[in-house]
């Protein structure tokens, strides 16, 4: 199982003074976080895309390129790119360039987006929300296959064999489809045989099992082998030296952002009791000391029929810079070894006795 971090580059007010930190300082802290994740051996770091005052990630490829210059091994991805509101040609060029800078460590997760600010910002009609994504995903997939593309659609001028450059360092730029809870999104990813990244930001992991089964069944019907139907999970997560410390460090930022965004959507004010329920053994928050978090990750994988990647959304704890770096270190040096050892033990146990392991 690959283990990593996703950040939305959240910029949060001090709970005591209400004062916002410097955006420049927050960006510097974010790049330090990526560097720390690389140093402790995590597999992937993702940057989201939002066009709101609470976040600094409106240009994720730029942040990832800066991170590429400061890291050596960690894979760098979006989390997610709002493809519906972007030009697929330009997105492909940006991530191909990132792939060259990073010497083949770039990936991209594309999705429809859970916020709508990008649509009016770029002159798009939210009523075409799903159609925009389907058409632009079709074009993006063609760009990965061909340098000179002939293509036409409803929302973008046609291409008549123009060359799209640069080409990435990797033979094919890895592409995941980011989804929330819409069945059609799961089904479409399966039909296309694309890896699936599920945003599970509350509730329980069990609730998503029918949707994962729908994805795998759609892929099977479309003729894709199980090796192509890869499932990843993006979840709220934070690691501390104790369960209490981890929850206390994460809760204030989570409550602030959830309350702000939830208020716009008509949700009730988030409470500590709700938070504790989602951080409990039955909830979907991966928050606690290393052993607690590792056990929940392994349980989530079993519940969903096997997970290939888990990424932690921990940037709502960004007020505590030292705690963030400590969390990243614990994730890489203590949680990851527990999870990888357990997975290897399970793999070995599944091999028939006397089988050739060469």
């Amino acid at each position: 199982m690959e283990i990593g971090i996703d950040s939305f580059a959240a910029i949060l007010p001090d709970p005591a003074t209400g004062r916002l930190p410097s955006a420049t300082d927050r960006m510097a802290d974010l790049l330090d976080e990526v560097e720390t994740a690389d140093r402790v051996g995590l597999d992937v770091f993702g940057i989201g895309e939002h066009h709101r005052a609470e976040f600094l990630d409106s240009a994720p490829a730029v942040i990832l390129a800066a991170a590429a210059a400061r890291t050596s091994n960690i894979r760098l991805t979006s989390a997610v790119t709002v493809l519906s509101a972007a030009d697929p040609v330009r997105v492909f060029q940006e991530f191909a360039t990132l792939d060259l800078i990073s010497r083949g460590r770039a990936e991209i997760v594309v999705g429809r987006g859970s916020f709508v600010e990008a649509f009016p910002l770029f002159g798009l009609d939210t009523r075409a929300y799903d159609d925009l994504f389907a058409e632009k995903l079709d074009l993006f997939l063609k760009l990965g296959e061909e340098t000179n593309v002939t293509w036409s659609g409803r929302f973008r001028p046609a291409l008549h064999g123009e060359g799209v450059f640069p080409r990435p360092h990797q033979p094919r730029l890895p592409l995941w489809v980011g989804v929330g809870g819409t069945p059609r999104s799961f089904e479409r990813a399966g039909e296309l045989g694309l890896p699936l990244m599920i945003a599970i930001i509350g509730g329980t992991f069990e609730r998503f099992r029918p949707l994962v089964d729908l994805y795998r069944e759609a892929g099977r019907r479309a003729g894709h082998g199980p090796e192509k139907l890869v499932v990843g999970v993006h979840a709220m997560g934070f690691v501390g030296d104790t369960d209490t410390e981890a929850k206390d460090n994460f809760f204030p930022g989570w409550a602030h952002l959830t309350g702000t965004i939830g208020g716009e959507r008509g949700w009730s004010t988030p409470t500590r009791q709700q938070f504790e329920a989602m951080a409990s053994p039955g909830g979907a928050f991966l928050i606690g000391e290393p052993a607690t978090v590792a056990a929940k990750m392994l349980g989530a994988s079993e519940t969903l029929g096997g997970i290939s990647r888990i990424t932690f959304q921990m940037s709502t704890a960004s007020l505590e810079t030292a705690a963030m770096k400590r969390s990243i270190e614990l994730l890489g040096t203590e949680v990851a070894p527990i999870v990888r050892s357990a997975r290897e033990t399970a793999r070995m146990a599944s091999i028939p006795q006397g089988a050739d392991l060469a």
Side-chain angles (χ1 to χ4, degrees):
M1 181 193 295
E2 294 180 327
I3 300 170
I5 296 167
D6 289 334
S7 176
F8 294 166
I11 182 163
L12 305 175
D14 186 297
T17 67
R19 200 176 296 127
L20 283 173
S22 158
T24 302
D25 290 343
R26 175 67 188 111
M27 190 64 74
D29 289 341
L30 174 59
L31 292 173
D32 285 344
E33 291 160 18
V34 186
E35 198 169 6
T36 301
D38 185 51
R39 175 174 55 80
V40 300
L42 291 176
D43 298 296
V44 61
F45 203 107
I47 300 292
E49 181 190 341
H50 301 84
H51 301 269
R52 299 175 55 97
E54 299 91 348
F55 307 108
L56 301 176
D57 59 353
S58 63
V62 177
I63 300 172
L64 292 167
R70 296 175 55 166
T71 56
S72 302
N73 299 304
I74 198 164
R75 298 193 67 77
L76 301 166
T77 185
S78 60
V80 304
T81 294
V82 185
L83 191 63
S84 306
D87 182 345
V89 173
R90 198 69 179 125
V91 172
F92 182 87
Q93 291 174 324
E94 290 169 350
F95 279 84
T97 302
L98 171 64
D99 203 45
L100 297 175
I101 294 169
S102 65
R103 293 185 177 271
R105 292 186 283 130
E107 300 186 3
I108 185 167
V109 182
V110 299
R112 301 184 304 172
S114 60
F115 294 85
V116 299
E117 288 85 0
F119 290 82
L121 186 63
F122 298 115
L124 298 166
D125 189 344
T126 55
R127 290 174 295 182
Y129 184 71
D130 190 67
D131 291 341
L132 279 162
F133 179 72
E135 178 177 298
K136 292 184 177 187
L137 178 58
D138 176 67
L139 174 55
F140 194 89
L141 291 171
K142 284 182 166 53
L143 294 169
E145 297 168 358
E146 305 170 20
T147 301
N148 298 84
V149 175
T150 298
W151 176 92
S152 64
R154 291 170 53 201
F155 302 105
R156 188 201 185 281
L159 294 172
H160 304 285
E162 292 88 350
V164 178
F165 303 103
R167 306 308 295 177
H169 176 87
Q170 298 172 90
R172 186 181 293 269
L173 193 63
L175 172 75
W176 297 65
V177 176
V179 297
T182 305
R184 178 56 193 148
S185 295
F186 285 78
E187 192 173 34
R188 174 165 47 212
E191 291 167 353
L192 293 171
L194 294 172
L196 186 76
M197 179 58 67
I198 314 168
I200 302 179
I201 59 172
T204 66
F205 292 110
E206 287 87 350
R207 183 168 67 90
F208 286 83
R209 180 58 189 263
L211 294 169
V212 172
D213 290 343
L214 176 65
Y215 161 72
R216 289 177 171 138
E217 176 58 23
R220 186 195 65 77
R221 289 197 310 267
H224 302 296
E227 73 284 353
K228 294 191 71 175
L229 302 174
V230 174
V231 175
V233 167
H234 158 105
M236 295 288 183
F238 198 78
V239 191
D241 290 294
T242 67
D243 288 348
T244 299
E245 178 189 89
K247 289 187 286 188
D248 287 347
N249 281 328
F250 194 80
F251 175 75
W254 173 82
H256 174 81
L257 275 182
T258 304
T260 300
I261 295 166
E264 297 172 3
R265 301 180 179 186
W267 302 347
S268 60
T269 302
T271 67
R272 183 68 188 233
Q273 184 178 11
Q274 291 170 328
F275 174 81
E276 291 286 347
M278 287 184 283
S280 71
F285 283 7
L286 304 170
I287 298 175
E289 65 180 19
T292 299
V293 172
K296 288 195 76 172
M297 291 169 68
L298 292 166
S301 183
E302 182 176 357
T303 296
L304 296 175
I307 295 173
S308 296
R309 175 180 290 182
I310 291 184
T311 54
F312 283 53
Q313 208 310 64
M314 59 172 66
S315 61
T316 53
S318 60
L319 283 173
E320 301 289 344
T321 302
M324 282 284 287
K325 290 183 181 178
R326 178 62 175 159
S327 179
I328 294 167
E329 289 174 351
L330 288 170
L331 184 60
T333 62
E334 296 195 27
V335 177
I338 295 172
V339 172
R340 290 165 181 157
S341 176
R343 299 272 286 200
E344 179 62 15
T345 298
R347 187 188 73 84
M348 295 298 292
S350 69
I351 299 173
Q353 190 172 10
D356 185 3
L357 301 180

